[in-house]
Structures are given as structure tokens and as C-alpha cells.
Amino acid sequence: MSNHESHENHVTGYGVYLLVWLGLLMLTGITVAVAGIDFGRITITVALLIAAIKSWLVLTIFMHLKFEDTTFKIFVFVAVITFVVFIVLLFADYLFM
Amino acid sequence: MANGTLYMPETEPNYLDYRGRFKGILGWILSTDHKRIGLLYLYSMGLFLTVGIFFGFMMRLELIAPGKVIIEPQTYNSFFTLHGIIMIFLFIIPGLPAVFGNFFLPILIGAKDVAFPRINLLSWWLFAIGGGLAITSVFLPGGPADTGWTFYVPYSIRSTTNVLPAAFAAFILGFSSILTGINFVTTIHRLRAPGMDWFKMPLFIWSLYATAWIQVLATPIIGITLLLVAVERLFGIGLFDPALGGDPVLFQHLFWIYSHPAVYIMILPAMGVISEIIPVFARRTIFGYSFIAFSSLAIAFFGSLVWAHHMFTAGMSDTGRFVFSLLTFLVAIPSAIKVFNWIATLYKGSIQLAPPMLYALGFIFLFSIGGLTGLMQGALSINIHIHDTSFIVGHFHYVMFGGTGFGIFAALHYWLPKMYGRMYNEKRAKVGFWVLITGFNLLYFPMLVMGWLGMPRRYYDYLPEFHVYHFISTIGSWILITGLLIMAVNLILGVRRGAKATDNPWGGETLEWRIQTPPTHENFHEIPVITGGPYEYKINENGQEEKKYEEVT
């Protein structure tokens, strides 16, 4: 299987993992820090944005999505889009309450 | 159409006789054969269905007259909760994908098994454990849950009954569903036989594919939501309970983000079964193959975006209600595409009213009533009038039981001869059908009427003017159960003592009819090469069809 071979070609070094981990910790810190600030209507947007960046890091680096073939990327893309649509529709209600 | 030696008669044992690593019961509950796992699901679901019917029967009996008849109000609350949880999570959601999807998906695409046979077995084990826990929760101290299957907060936070075990059971069952979904998506992508491109797949596979995506994408949301309810109950963290600063409407949103698409997890595979049966018994190729295929995906997509129509009276914003009402109307389009295509397939067909076909036609009739009453509720003004009345109960039983239930029965009558190699009595099957559909309409149609007149759902007692409807409905439940018994006894007798079934009793063209009956352990001697579509009925040189079902008279 070609994608198995490509796995072996892409060994990520510990340094990268460590950096990503530190990045995730930093973003968590930012989430906690900004939680106390009232951004009004965009509070949730800010929180979701940070969470999205964190998920993207985990998916691409830790879960190796970066090195997978296109089918898997499309699958994950579909899942992400579905999730975004759910949230947008949820706020079609909440924003106008 | 397929080429290749699909099976070598009498040289390989069928899957029922096959001796693997384990014998006896272990040979079943530890088997990774998709066909045996399908039957495991069938047997466990049969058991859960019986329990669910018992609760439904008792509720109807209680409602035969105003005031107390046989059970106390608290027992009644528990019964409708358990009826809902069992029927939805243990019968109708796994129903077609887990039994017939497992059994026939690999065969229909020309594969020897699903992509992950061990995960497949794991999903049955999770199903059995979740089901066991749901039933056990009835007998644990604290008493059976009484929240309704929807676990609405804040009541589910405050009820002293066994809400947590029941919710945890649903959580485990969710994992079973997700694993099945992942397995099916992968199988359909990776294991199709050479030559079987996407548009040569039987339509049942398209519907399973659409269903599997909903299972994978939507089920985690109910899992996490129920987990949040547990967190709130156990640690008093204010998420949904207004008394703790939470938002109960948020729970309803999260709950229905899964639970409405779940309706399509239930109905889509049934539509797939109907798309398989109609061409075989109308002796015509399906009308509008690609429209039916894509309408499955469209239903899965739009069906995932309409959840808040369950909450129009829950305090949503006007904009929210408008958006979700509009989206609800949109789902009707792909659903109607299917119904019109089936009817167009029947048009000028050579229709044979064999038992599977009767159930398929019953499906179209009942699903149309269920679907159209659903559209009525999509309209905001009507929805507010009939919200939480028995009109809703009537509507979703028409869709869930009249649709999915009849789809399951159609599949049973269609595929049982292939699964067990024996034929049931067709006459008795037809009698069972007519009794069943009569009882069905007597049971559920009065619910539509009295709901319209204002009878609330879930009520233990009612005003005298509703008595006649409740009375007819309860009588209908007895007729319906009689029909179910006739069907069950007939099928069980058929499996045990029925005449030997031929390889292709109905004259079908899809792959399952070209292999041994019952299938061998690995389904195919050689993986077939697919050369044509699934519903091409050939005419021989005498101007007659090569294979045709002959009705037993």
C-alpha cells in the first residue's frame, strides 16, 4: 500500500512534537487568559478560533494527517465542514434570541 | 451482471455449518464473520423488540379507559421512557445496518467480509453490553428512568430514578453505532469488486453509505451531551440546569443535533431495501438510479440540518425558527424523489405481490402518511398548535414503524431464504401482512386525529371526549401484535422447517442471488468481476425473462 510507505518516509522528529506540544500549552494559556475578558458577541468566536488552531495542530502533526493521502484529508474536511455548519446553524438561533 | 466462478456447488460448507476456531455458542459470539455477526444482531434485536413491544402494549392497555386501569402513573412514565429507549437505540437505529447491512453489504459489493471484521465484532459486543445495561437499569435500586428517551434537562438532572445508567447505556450504544459506520464507509471505499464503480452499486449500498456517514459524524455529539448531563448530575456543574446557571435550550440543541439525523439513520437503509425489492418484483430496472443514489446523500445532508424543528416551542429565536422550518421543507424534496422514482419503477412493470413486495408497498403507503404529516409539522404555525400532542406520536410511528419497521420486515421476507437456505410459508406471510397493516392503522391513525383535537402526548389520563380514539387505538394494538406474532411464527417455522430455498427464489440480479444458499464462509469462490448494473433483467431468445419468481398459490 502506497500510503503505508509514505508513512515511513515521513518520520517526524521529537523536536517538532515538543514544539507543537508547547504551542498547544501556550494556546490553552491564551484561552484561559482571554476567558476573563468580555469581547461581547465575539467571545465565542475567539474561543472557537483558538480551539480550531489547536485541533488543526493535533490533526496534522500528532495524527499524521499531513502525510496521509487525499481521501483521508477529504474525509476529515467533510467532518470539519459538518461541524462548522452545525455551529453556524446553532448560532442562527442563539444570536437572535 | 458479474463474471467469474462465484461458487463451487457443494465443495465449501456454508457459513452456518462452517467450523472455525471455536465451537458452539463461542463460534458465534467470537466469530468475525460478517454474516454471523449480522445474525447475532438479529437475535439480540428480536429480544429487545419483544421487550419494547411489551412496554408499548402495557401503555396502550393503560390508556384504554380514562383513570387508572392497570398501572400507576410513575410506572407509566417509566414504561414510555423504556419503550422509547429500547425501540430507538436497540431496535430501530441498529435495525437494518447492523443486521442486513452486516450480512449483505460485503456480498452486494463482491467482498469476502467487511474492512475491519474484529471491529465489527466489537461493535456487536458494545451493542450487547449497552443493551444489557439499559435493561439492567430497570431493576437497579432507584427505579427505571422516567425522563422519556430524550433525557430532557432539567428533569433528567433532578429525577431520582436511574437516569445515569440509562444514559450511559445510550452512550455505549453510540460507540457501537460509530464503529459500524466507520467499518461500512471503509468497506464501501476499499473493498468493491473489480468493475463495481460507484454507479454500479446496488442502491441499498448507497443508502448504507449515507447512513454510515451520519453515524460517524453525528453520534459523537449525543455521546458528549449525555456525558455532560452525567457531569452536571454528579458534580453539580451548571451546564444545562437554569438553577445552576445553565441553559436547557442548549441541551435540546445538542440532543437533537444527533437525534434528528438519527431519524435518517433509521429510515435511509429502509429506503435502500425498498429500492432493492421494487425492481425485482416489478421486473423492471429502477427508474432514476442516480437520483435515488444522490437523494440518499441529500437526505443525509439536509436531514442533519433540521434538528431544531423539535424545539419550536422551547424558546428559540424567530430567526432560528424560520431557518429550521425552511430547512425542514427542503428534506421533503429528496424524500419525494425516492417515492416518485419507486412509483415510476412500478409503472407498467410486471408486478408480483410476493410478501417482500407487499411489505415494500406497505412501506410506501405508510411512509407517505408519515412524511406528509411531518411536513405539516415543519410549518411553524401548525407546529405550535400540535406540539407535544399525540399527533406527533402518530406521525413518528408512521415514519419509524410504518417506514423503518416495515422496511425491516420487507428485508426479512426478502433475504431470509438466502440467509438460512429455507423458505417460509408465503400465504401465511401475506395474511400476517394484512393483519399487521390493519392493526397498524387502527393503532396510529386515531393518534393523529386526537392529537389534532388537543390530546397531549405522554399523559397518563385524559378527558372523556378522547376515550373513543384511545379505545380504537388500543384495540388496534392487539390486532397489530397478532399480525407481528403471525409473521414471527411464520418466519421462525420457515427457518426451522421450511422447504429448501433455491439460490435465487425471487429472480434477483444483484450479487447475493448468484452465490450459494446459504452463503459460504467467504461468500465467493472467486471475487467477481462486475460488468453491468444491478437491476438489468435479461430477456432470453424466447422473449421471456431468464429468471422469474413464480408465485405460490
Side-chain angles (χ1 to χ4, degrees):
Chain A
M1 297 282 279
S2 59
N3 51 331
H4 278 211
E5 285 155 20
S6 59
H7 270 205
E8 284 151 27
N9 292 341
H10 293 283
V11 179
T12 316
Y14 286 115
V16 178
Y17 284 136
L18 203 66
L19 272 178
V20 173
W21 179 62
L22 288 174
L24 289 171
L25 279 182
M26 199 179 73
L27 285 166
T28 309
I30 295 176
T31 312
V32 176
V34 299
I37 308 168
D38 185 10
F39 287 111
R41 283 193 151 193
I42 61 161
T43 312
I44 292 172
T45 317
V46 172
L48 283 175
L49 207 65
I50 300 172
I53 297 169
K54 286 165 73 180
S55 317
W56 178 76
L57 282 172
V58 172
L59 280 167
T60 48
I61 312 290
F62 287 164
M63 296 175 79
H64 277 225
L65 197 64
K66 201 173 160 188
F67 313 118
E68 289 296 351
D69 69 37
T70 327
T71 319
F72 293 120
K73 286 182 184 160
I74 294 172
F75 278 15
V76 174
F77 183 71
V78 169
V80 171
I81 290 297
T82 312
F83 189 56
V84 170
V85 171
F86 282 168
I87 289 177
V88 167
L89 279 177
L90 191 64
F91 281 90
D93 178 27
Y94 269 90
L95 282 180
F96 299 96
M97 259 184 193
Chain B
M1 292 295 292
N3 293 336
T5 317
L6 299 193
Y7 79 91
M8 307 278 278
E10 314 300 331
T11 54
E12 293 167 50
N14 69 51
Y15 77 103
L16 293 167
D17 298 333
Y18 178 79
R19 279 286 165 89
R21 218 163 109 208
F22 303 100
K23 285 179 199 160
I25 183 98
L26 287 183
W28 282 85
I29 60 172
L30 296 176
S31 169
T32 53
D33 179 1
H34 65 101
K35 297 179 288 298
R36 287 197 169 199
I37 294 173
L39 289 192
L40 283 177
Y41 270 111
L42 179 65
Y43 301 143
S44 26
M45 273 172 36
L47 178 76
F48 294 132
L49 174 67
T50 313
V51 180
I53 291 173
F54 167 76
F55 289 127
F57 169 76
M58 293 299 281
M59 277 152 59
R60 273 309 340 151
L61 198 57
E62 170 55 43
L63 292 172
I64 195 169
K68 185 191 162 183
V69 178
I70 45 165
I71 49 177
E72 297 295 330
Q74 179 63 27
T75 318
Y76 176 83
N77 287 353
S78 296
F79 276 14
F80 74 65
T81 301
L82 291 163
H83 175 77
I85 292 176
I86 290 172
M87 288 301 204
I88 289 190
F89 291 112
L90 293 168
F91 173 61
I92 220 154
I93 287 184
L96 279 157
V99 179
F100 299 99
N102 262 321
F103 200 107
F104 287 104
L105 165 67
I107 298 177
L108 283 168
I109 61 169
K112 293 191 170 180
D113 207 319
V114 290
F116 309 116
R118 281 163 192 249
I119 290 185
N120 202 15
L121 179 62
L122 174 65
S123 76
W124 178 75
W125 272 98
L126 289 175
F127 174 74
I129 293 168
L133 184 60
I135 305 275
T136 315
S137 77
V138 177
F139 304 105
L140 291 175
D146 60 350
T147 57
W149 77 278
T150 53
F151 301 109
Y152 268 14
V153 292
Y155 186 63
S156 60
I157 309 284
R158 294 174 193 162
S159 169
T160 52
T161 57
N162 293 326
V163 174
L164 275 188
F168 191 55
F171 181 79
I172 296 174
L173 291 166
F175 271 95
S176 165
S177 192
I178 293 170
L179 292 180
T180 303
I182 291 174
N183 221 337
F184 283 6
V185 169
T186 316
T187 307
I188 295 168
H189 272 274
R190 294 290 196 208
L191 297 185
R192 278 172 289 125
M196 178 163 288
D197 61 42
W198 285 84
F199 294 97
K200 288 201 186 91
M201 292 196 311
L203 287 161
F204 183 50
I205 305 299
W206 272 103
S207 69
L208 284 176
Y209 184 70
T211 308
W213 269 108
I214 313 179
Q215 286 177 302
V216 174
L217 292 177
T219 318
I221 299 174
I222 186 85
I224 201 75
T225 308
L226 293 177
L227 216 55
L228 291 176
V229 170
V231 166
E232 186 153 6
R233 253 183 96 98
L234 295 172
F235 306 113
I237 296 171
L239 295 162
F240 304 127
D241 186 350
L244 299 167
D247 178 3
V249 178
L250 179 64
F251 172 84
Q252 295 192 21
H253 269 298
L254 293 175
F255 179 83
W256 288 113
I257 285 178
Y258 164 75
S259 297
H260 193 79
V263 170
Y264 297 97
I265 296 180
M266 308 173 206
I267 197 76
L268 271 169
M271 292 171 156
V273 169
I274 304 308
S275 305
E276 291 302 309
I277 290 174
I278 297 245
V280 173
F281 295 94
R283 312 309 301 169
R284 284 197 57 193
T285 189
I286 193 96
F287 182 88
Y289 174 97
S290 50
F291 270 83
I292 296 188
F294 282 120
S295 65
S296 293
L297 297 182
I299 290 176
F301 178 73
F302 285 113
S304 299
L305 310 179
V306 301
W307 71 83
H309 65 212
H310 293 266
M311 310 159 45
F312 284 157
T313 60
M316 282 171 66
S317 66
D318 285 344
T319 316
R321 294 199 287 188
F322 168 75
V323 169
F324 282 101
S325 175
L326 177 71
L327 286 166
T328 303
F329 280 111
L330 291 183
V331 196
I333 296 171
S335 310
I337 285 177
K338 281 188 191 290
V339 172
F340 287 127
N341 278 308
W342 293 324
I343 292 171
T345 308
L346 291 169
Y347 180 63
K348 287 192 176 173
S350 160
I351 297 171
Q352 294 153 329
L353 290 177
M357 183 65 157
L358 276 181
Y359 277 101
L361 296 178
F363 171 98
I364 297 180
F365 175 70
L366 299 174
F367 173 74
S368 299
I369 296 179
L372 288 171
T373 48
L375 266 185
M376 291 163 73
Q377 295 157 50
L380 275 173
S381 50
I382 301 180
N383 184 289
I384 287 163
H385 174 67
I386 56 177
H387 193 89
D388 262 348
T389 65
S390 67
F391 187 90
I392 311 291
V393 185
H395 152 74
F396 71 70
H397 279 89
Y398 267 96
V399 180
M400 299 289 83
F401 190 174
T404 313
F406 272 62
I408 293 174
F409 302 150
L412 269 174
H413 285 87
Y414 183 54
W415 278 317
L416 208 78
K418 177 55 74 177
M419 295 160 86
Y420 290 95
R422 287 184 186 277
M423 187 52 114
Y424 51 83
N425 180 315
E426 289 185 42
K427 254 188 180 166
R428 221 178 289 149
K430 290 180 187 176
V431 173
F433 168 79
W434 287 112
V435 176
L436 187 62
I437 200 165
T438 309
F440 181 95
N441 284 294
L442 269 183
L443 167 55
Y444 298 116
F445 202 80
M447 290 192 187
L448 294 174
V449 180
M450 65 179 149
W452 193 261
L453 296 174
M455 172 71 213
R457 69 189 283 200
R458 301 195 188 95
Y459 273 32
Y460 172 76
D461 201 0
Y462 51 84
L463 297 171
E465 60 253 41
F466 295 119
H467 185 198
V468 61
Y469 304 107
H470 277 293
F471 185 77
I472 297 172
S473 184
T474 301
I475 301 293
S477 76
W478 300 343
I479 300 174
L480 175 113
I481 290 175
T482 312
L484 285 173
L485 280 175
I486 296 173
M487 183 184 77
V489 169
N490 184 35
L491 292 178
I492 293 168
L493 282 180
V495 166
R496 297 181 76 92
R497 294 194 243 138
K500 270 199 147 194
T502 57
D503 286 343
N504 191 359
W506 314 119
E509 283 291 327
T510 36
L511 279 173
E512 79 274 37
W513 306 115
R514 307 194 152 256
I515 57 171
Q516 190 172 312
T517 296
T520 55
H521 178 61
E522 291 199 324
N523 305 337
F524 302 97
H525 181 72
E526 263 175 25
I527 292 295
V529 176
I530 311 300
T531 54
Y535 312 108
E536 292 168 5
Y537 300 99
K538 287 277 178 296
I539 305 288
N540 63 20
E541 55 273 21
N542 304 328
Q544 287 170 328
E545 283 183 61
E546 284 174 357
K547 278 178 192 154
K548 195 170 176 182
Y549 157 68
E550 280 176 24
E551 198 164 357
V552 180
T553 48

